[in-house]
Amino acid sequence: MHRRRLLTGAGASALVATLGPWARAPRASQARHAEILIRGGRVFDGALQEPRAGDVAVGQGRILAVGDLPGWSAARTIDAGGRIVAPGFVDTHSHAGESLVRKGLHSAEALLAQGVTTLVINPDGGGPVDLARQRAAMGLLGLGVNVAPLVGHGSIRGAVLGGENRAPSPAERTRMHDLLRSALREGAFGLSSGLFYTPGAYAATDEVTDLMRVAAEVLGPSAVHTSHIRDEGTYSIGVVAAVDEIIAIAEGSGTTGIVTHMKALGPDAWGRTRECVAHVEAARRRGVAVWADQYPYEASGTSLFAALIPREAQRGGRAALATRLADPAQRAALLPQVADNIRRRGGAASLLIAFHPPDRSVEGRSLAQLAEARHVPPEEVALALVARHDTSTVSFNMSMDDIEYLMRQPWMMTCSDGATYFAGEGKPHPRGHGAFTRKLTTFVRERGTVSLTQALHSMTGLPAQVCSIAGRGRLVEGAHADVVVFDPAALRDEATYAEPHRHATGMSWVLVNGVPAIADGRSTGALAGVSLRREARRS
């Protein structure tokens, strides 16, 4: 059994300052002229401590100095006027990797408007196995933000076993290990899994544990496994057992585990967050490196195929399901199971259609509304939609009590689980355009669920530490100059379920690697983001 000593609070964030090649930046004693000098701010440096009055000097893409800097000059001086000056935000679970290769979305304006400067991409076991190709594709248009890629367990498994529901043979397991090693040496920050989704759902716990042992060989004990757990509600093993599985993988491999977008899904599971937190706390007390992240919404987002179709019926994918649905007997057998899954997620009124390209008229409407219009049960509507397309959905299935209880945990990071879209593209979940601003407005400013300091730490120093993103998430000398300047009272979360494409407002300045991406509240169109690489440890 492997154990790691956990650092928390300021001690954990101090660890970040020791990671990576920070020493290459000029020291304050050697430089008194900066490219950008931010004066008169309330500086939050990424550690878990209150903001302090001070200045920040930036040059050559790095933080040159932080503190009282009376003798400094600069080519450009920003008067922060008492506003918060903080590290750029780190999104630990983003699907915007798919957005950043689209011309017009590659500048990441919707993300920058929230203060997000670094994304952890390829979550839920997905994304490409060939990270070099992904990196090259992103390089064609340029990047408005930094990206830190994971490699997906589901993608690795699919490349070796296809969609088969069985354990890998010894030779297949070796091939999976080789693909993982290759991706890690190409710069992957760790492994993502989607044990709720096929083909990841076909994997036993030991399959993922073995892969994380390989990751530990390449990256060391800070190798990250972030997982959409096997069950967030009451689908199969239950949410508590599914959290226990992530703990077991981290403990068995001696690596870092993240329960991603942690929640208790559906009324049957509401309140089970207390048990989940107790299990995480117990694991952390015995030295297991387990963490979680969360997006601040009552609704989740997935596909109707994944949410409502039983696992065995997903065999062969949606095309195979469409064939089965043509058989009246198989269709009749599926209907009560789909009906129960609709109930499990809060009922037909709680499921909104986000994307359904075969018929755009259904987007933004609930299963209940469609069922009433068509004079058929909701489960019939669901099968009709899934027969034509996976059909993305926005699913209202969480309780505010659970959301706030989880948010207060000191090991809880912030994520979006979102992508970005052009205006008019479906009715997606607003989280891709608003998650970080929503946390700072609804849960800090309005509800007081967590303090501004805890919220900022969950977006900056903590995720940079947990995900080993060297030189990010801190405002300390030598760090990369990802910086946000904002007045908390001026922030506005504009993206709603009815109008999900609207950008947040209130960010005065956002620097990415020292380059202004937002200046005086306006986008500059700068493409200063980079594709980050995690270095394998030397053997």
Side-chain angles (χ1 to χ4, degrees), residues 37-41 43 52-57 65-70 72 475:
L37 184 59
I38 305 171
R39 285 207 179 277
V43 179
R52 293 172 290 185
D55 311 322
V56 178
V66 180
D68 186 15
L69 307 176
W72 283 73
L475 289 188

Side-chain angles (χ1 to χ4, degrees), residues 24 51 69 71 171 209 223 236 285 297 435 441 536:
R24 289 198 287 264
L69 307 176
T209 304
S236 56
R285 283 194 296 272
Y297 294 89
T441 54

Side-chain angles (χ1 to χ4, degrees), residues 341-366:
N341 284 339
I342 292 172
R343 180 204 62 77
R344 180 177 277 117
R345 298 186 78 92
S350 72
L351 288 157
L352 303 182
I353 306 306
F355 289 100
H356 186 70
D359 180 5
R360 295 289 188 185
S361 70
V362 304
E363 294 174 348
R365 303 174 71 188
S366 71

Side-chain angles (χ1 to χ4, degrees), residues 386-471:
V386 171
R388 302 182 69 192
H389 190 266
D390 282 358
T391 309
S392 297
T393 181
V394 174
S395 172
F396 291 84
N397 54 49
M398 286 174 263
S399 77
M400 184 61 76
D401 179 68
D402 283 333
I403 292 168
E404 293 190 300
Y405 181 72
L406 291 173
M407 192 177 290
R408 293 187 185 105
Q409 304 311 311
W411 34 263
M412 184 62 66
M413 301 175 285
T414 304
C415 73
S416 71
D417 191 20
T420 59
Y421 304 93
F422 290 112
E425 289 186 330
K427 288 286 185 180
H429 197 299
R431 59 196 178 185
H433 290 242
F436 285 75
T437 307
R438 178 173 170 80
K439 184 166 184 174
L440 293 172
T441 54
T442 300
F443 292 94
V444 174
R445 190 175 70 203
E446 297 168 15
R447 298 180 68 91
T449 306
V450 293
S451 68
L452 177 63
T453 296
Q454 183 176 348
L456 289 175
H457 183 57
S458 78
M459 302 173 177
T460 58
L462 184 60
Q465 172 220 333
V466 173
C467 298
S468 293
I469 305 175

Side-chain angles (χ1 to χ4, degrees), residues 157 160-170 172-173 199 202-204 207:
R157 191 178 217 276
V160 177
L161 280 82
E164 295 188 38
N165 183 2
R166 62 174 176 83
S169 68
E172 289 167 333
R173 189 166 292 223
Y202 300 147
E207 178 179 312

